[in-house]
Amino acid sequence: MVFFWQVSSASPVSAQSGTESPVQDQAADQSATDQAESTVDAPLYVRVLRGENDEPLALQTAIVRYVGKPKTEFAGKIVDLIGVVHIGQAEYYTELDKRLGTYDKVLYELVAPDGTRIRPEDLQQRRSLLASVQTGMKDMLNLEYQLEKIDYMAKNFRHADMSPEEFSEDLESRGDSVWKMLARMMGAGIATQSKNGGEAGILMALFSKDRSKLMKRAMAGQLVDIEMVSAGLNDADGENTLIKGRNRKAFEILRDELQQGSQTVGVFYGAGHLPDMAERLQEQFDMEPTTTDWLDAWDLTRN
């Protein structure tokens, strides 16, 4: 169960195939919505916020700002890496949607033909395995689905991902395949489950009157370790299509946007993509991290 949850969290499916909270009141010094900004040394993009006695309060995702260094090609330009989990609370997506409207351009992920826009009617036609997993998890955890809550028809949105053909070609060019990739992911997922105590907590939560809350708490730790799963996708040469290949395509489009004159760009991708993207911004775009905002994706104190 957890393995499929981690896979579904790594990437949204193709549309063709497919205010302050009580938590923030308890930990306002660490919350995103209090607008407290801090200098970033080693950016993280997803975390579990804990309170007294190590009680889990919220699963949070980060928005990390990068600014072009002086006297470089993109001096003064802003790129925000906007980490997202693909199921979350309605108010989480409301806050994200509001922030996304403030950028000159928002680059979004979706393995689909170039230029694809996600329309409400497309979501009714989803038939993929990942879509089914994500929908099932949404209902079980009493959460909402990203693709249904974010306005992908907004004028400042631009598709920045591989097409299905590009995805297949990238795999084949390295002698890789979907099945090999899934096998590596499964190995990494098993390691992550072991680190977090396996599925015992999830099984106990299934029979609790507070099922949604306890399920979210059990799964939050798995999501924080998504970087381990992403690393497990690499082939023998340290490459992979699901994360690094798609990031390369996204950043070709990012460079185009910046060169065309966009001053502020949001890169709106699953949190598992962002460590690699951060390296690309620093090494290929001469940008440096400056501030981080944290948003509550899951309130771990309620059902």
Side-chain angles (χ1 to χ4, degrees):
M1 177 184 293
V2 174
F3 165 67
F4 283 112
W5 162 240
Q6 290 169 319
V7 175
S8 69
S9 301
S11 173
V13 298
S14 167
Q16 293 193 343
S17 67
T19 64
E20 297 237 345
S21 69
V23 169
Q24 292 167 322
D25 292 337
Q26 295 179 59
D29 60 322
Q30 299 182 65
S31 174
T33 53
D34 65 3
Q35 299 301 307
E37 296 184 337
S38 60
T39 298
V40 182
D41 292 320
L44 300 174
Y45 301 95
V46 60
R47 73 180 183 186
V48 174
L49 176 65
R50 296 182 181 274
E52 295 181 2
N53 302 317
D54 206 36
E55 179 188 10
L57 300 178
L59 176 72
Q60 298 183 318
T61 60
I63 300 176
V64 181
R65 172 152 295 183
Y66 284 78
V67 178
K69 296 178 182 178
K71 299 181 180 180
T72 65
E73 181 181 4
F74 303 121
K77 295 201 173 189
I78 291 172
V79 175
D80 283 358
L81 295 183
I82 306 167
V84 63
V85 291
H86 302 312
I87 62 171
Q89 296 169 181
E91 54 265 44
Y92 168 64
Y93 294 122
T94 298
E95 176 65 18
L96 275 172
D97 210 35
K98 180 174 70 174
R99 290 177 180 239
L100 293 172
T102 66
Y103 296 96
D104 293 339
K105 193 65 68 173
V106 173
L107 307 184
Y108 66 91
E109 65 172 319
L110 190 72
V111 176
D114 285 347
T116 293
R117 290 294 189 116
I118 304 172
R119 303 169 301 175
E121 55 265 36
D122 293 327
L123 299 176
Q124 302 301 319
Q125 301 174 6
R126 292 180 295 129
R127 293 291 184 270
S128 75
L129 173 61
L130 289 188
S132 299
V133 171
Q134 289 167 331
T135 299
M137 288 295 179
K138 170 183 77 80
D139 296 339
M140 183 181 298
L141 300 178
N142 194 27
L143 296 171
E144 302 293 339
Y145 187 36
Q146 171 191 338
L147 295 182
E148 297 172 349
K149 293 299 180 179
I150 298 295
D151 179 14
Y152 284 88
M153 297 300 291
K155 291 182 179 180
N156 65 333
F157 271 44
R158 180 177 176 181
H159 180 233
D161 207 336
M162 287 181 166
S163 68
E165 293 77 16
E166 288 173 324
F167 190 91
S168 297
E169 289 170 4
D170 190 80
L171 282 172
E172 293 173 3
S173 70
R174 294 181 291 98
D176 204 355
S177 69
V178 170
W179 295 112
K180 290 178 182 178
M181 182 180 67
L182 288 175
R184 295 193 301 272
M185 184 185 292
M186 184 174 292
I190 291 171
T192 302
Q193 289 182 42
S194 177
K195 176 182 176 182
N196 285 281
E199 299 198 10
I202 294 175
L203 291 175
M204 291 178 63
L206 283 172
F207 299 100
S208 170
K209 65 179 182 179
D210 294 322
R211 184 179 73 172
S212 293
K213 180 177 75 174
L214 296 181
M215 287 284 288
K216 285 185 287 190
R217 287 185 173 189
M219 290 183 170
Q222 301 284 344
L223 275 182
V224 172
D225 285 335
I226 193 70
E227 291 182 34
M228 178 185 293
V229 176
S230 300
L233 297 175
N234 288 344
D235 62 18
D237 296 321
E239 290 293 327
N240 70 70
T241 298
L242 189 62
I243 300 294
K244 295 182 178 179
R246 293 169 63 203
N247 285 0
R248 279 193 296 272
K249 175 65 179 287
F251 272 46
E252 291 173 5
I253 296 171
L254 172 62
R255 184 176 295 276
D256 178 65
E257 279 295 335
L258 294 173
Q259 290 175 340
Q260 287 189 39
S262 291
Q263 296 298 313
T264 60
V265 179
V267 181
F268 185 48
Y269 255 75
H273 286 262
L274 302 194
D276 176 74
M277 287 184 169
E279 290 183 11
R280 294 175 189 272
L281 284 176
Q282 292 172 310
E283 296 173 4
Q284 301 172 14
F285 289 72
D286 290 316
M287 290 188 162
E288 56 188 357
T290 58
T291 60
T292 298
D293 282 351
W294 290 95
L295 301 181
D296 291 349
W298 301 356
D299 184 343
L300 301 180
T301 67
R302 73 186 195 199
N303 280 316

